[in-house]
Amino acid sequence: MAEEYEKDLHTKVNRFKAWTKENFPAFSEENDNGEWCFCDEFFEMYDCSMAIIRNLAAGEATEQMIDDLLYVIARDNEREMLLQELEKRSEWFALLCGRCLQTGYTAAKWQFAKHLPNCKDSDGFKEVIYGFFKTDDEYTDRMALRSLADLYPEQAERYAVDFWERKKYEYDEYQKIMVLHVLFQIHSPKLPHYLALAEKSEYRYLRENAEEIYGRLNGPGHNG
């Protein structure tokens, strides 16, 4: 059965790739927003991927199947339905999550970084979250920091401070916004310092998020 699934998925992935080459020749892993890909060819490979995840054990996956599944997951980045299914199947999640770090499928990486805290029985492999900080992708970095606050809150403060200070990306407003929300979530004593910096920032949305967090800190029912 696994061999049949592998062949079927690979055929459908190649059919989708041919469709994108003809209709969206400028497509790349870096410019995929997920909104254009819902054609018949997309749904054919999506349905096949879902059938594989539901009907095969992760141990039956071949190398070709793994690569094709990660390709489809990357294309499903608008709805993230395949990741939601994987959350229920920890062996599949663990396999594909770890392997995506070895690929160029950027949109698969940030989805796994984002969904890791929701994966059922994820304790055995959740340390993979640290691998997502090495991808050099701004959005993946952000999703990994958010998940770190859920998985390892005791480590999140150190990473959040580094995110703020490191100047890794030329445009880092959303990095800094995530820092504020993570520091708020983990009740960090460093939060007031970074809120004060945010208030003085030239970034409009960063200032607005700081104001929102001040309101939550001062609102009823907050235990600080």
Side-chain angles (χ1 to χ4, degrees):
M1 182 184 293
E3 183 177 347
E4 294 175 3
Y5 272 124
E6 176 195 299
K7 183 178 179 180
D8 190 28
L9 178 60
H10 195 55
T11 297
K12 289 172 178 175
V13 165
N14 284 335
R15 191 177 300 156
F16 176 81
K17 288 179 177 179
W19 182 87
T20 60
K21 186 175 182 179
E22 178 180 352
N23 294 278
F24 296 90
F27 162 75
S28 72
E29 293 296 326
E30 286 68 40
N31 67 9
D32 176 15
N33 62 15
E35 297 176 357
W36 51 265
C37 63
F38 298 108
C39 55
D40 289 342
E41 289 80 358
F42 169 82
F43 280 112
E44 288 176 1
M45 67 177 189
Y46 168 86
D47 289 342
C48 186
S49 298
M50 190 67 81
I52 288 172
I53 293 168
R54 288 174 172 169
N55 296 312
L56 293 183
E60 298 179 79
T62 65
E63 292 299 312
Q64 185 64 66
M65 188 186 296
I66 290 169
D67 186 74
D68 285 337
L69 284 171
L70 289 171
Y71 178 84
V72 181
I73 288 167
R75 304 290 74 78
D76 188 40
N77 64 78
E78 176 70 11
R79 304 184 311 163
E80 304 174 40
M81 296 295 290
L82 286 169
L83 257 295
Q84 292 178 40
E85 184 68 24
L86 288 172
E87 288 178 2
K88 310 170 191 173
R89 307 170 190 278
S90 59
E91 290 185 359
W92 269 114
F93 193 108
L95 172 66
L96 296 174
C97 182
R99 295 297 289 275
C100 82
L101 288 168
Q102 304 167 24
T103 73
Y105 300 137
T106 301
K109 293 175 185 177
W110 65 252
Q111 288 183 72
F112 277 107
K114 175 182 176 181
H115 286 262
L116 184 55
N118 301 328
C119 181
K120 182 180 179 182
D121 301 324
S122 64
D123 289 349
F125 61 90
K126 64 184 181 181
E127 289 186 2
V128 73
I129 190 64
Y130 294 106
F132 291 98
F133 292 113
K134 303 174 184 178
T135 63
D136 294 324
D137 175 67
E138 190 275 331
Y139 192 62
T140 302
D141 267 0
R142 245 192 298 152
M143 295 301 99
L145 180 60
R146 186 173 77 173
S147 291
L148 189 67
D150 292 321
L151 296 170
Y152 295 104
E154 71 279 5
Q155 297 292 331
E157 181 181 87
R158 176 167 65 88
Y159 277 81
V161 169
D162 179 62
F163 266 47
W164 187 286
E165 305 290 349
R166 65 186 175 172
K167 297 179 173 63
K168 182 176 181 179
Y169 301 104
E170 182 177 357
Y171 180 71
D172 61 357
E173 180 172 16
Y174 289 100
Q175 293 262 307
K176 286 180 163 62
I177 289 172
M178 184 61 74
V179 167
L180 294 185
H181 286 279
V182 165
L183 293 177
F184 175 81
Q185 177 180 333
I186 64 174
H187 307 292
S188 169
K190 297 182 183 292
L191 176 60
H193 171 70
Y194 288 98
L195 285 173
L197 292 179
E199 280 191 307
K200 301 173 184 176
S201 172
E202 63 183 15
Y203 291 143
R204 170 189 170 188
Y205 297 118
L206 180 59
R207 295 195 306 270
E208 290 179 357
N209 275 265
E211 292 174 6
E212 175 195 340
I213 291 174
Y214 271 126
R216 294 165 70 183
L217 286 171
N218 297 324
H222 182 77
N223 295 321

